[in-house]
Amino acid sequence: MTAKTKWIIYGALALIAVLLIAIFSKNIVNGLENLFVKIAIYLIVFCAGWLLGRFGGNRRKNDNERNARNITQAQK
């Protein structure tokens, strides 16, 4: 292959790619929107679960002291 035929092939591939993007642009945008919505939903659910696990417990400080006593008694 010569350099000229390579440029012709690359130019044709680029033209085909641009035409496909132009034809399917609405479908591409809708697919990306759906993807971003799914990612946002997963992030919201993950953050809500993390926050509930981090701050939602009803443990009191006395529970920690009781657990520490139980551990030391179990080790004896």
Side-chain angles (χ1 to χ4, degrees):
M1 274 195 200
T2 63
K4 186 176 182 179
T5 57
K6 286 182 183 178
W7 279 105
I8 291 172
I9 291 172
Y10 293 146
L13 289 175
L15 181 64
I16 291 170
V18 169
L19 287 175
L20 286 175
I21 289 172
I23 292 170
F24 296 113
S25 63
K26 190 171 277 192
N27 293 338
I28 293 170
V29 169
N30 287 338
L32 289 175
E33 285 176 356
N34 290 339
L35 178 70
F36 290 139
V37 166
K38 284 181 185 177
I39 290 173
I41 290 171
Y42 287 139
L43 284 175
I44 290 169
V45 169
F46 174 79
C47 290
W50 183 81
L51 287 172
L52 282 174
R54 178 79 172 100
F55 299 111
N58 289 330
R59 277 185 77 157
R60 291 169 283 148
K61 291 184 180 180
N62 294 337
D63 291 341
N64 290 334
E65 295 170 1
R66 189 172 346 118
N67 289 338
R69 278 196 305 266
N70 290 340
I71 290 171
T72 54
Q73 288 175 357
Q75 290 175 347
K76 290 182 181 178

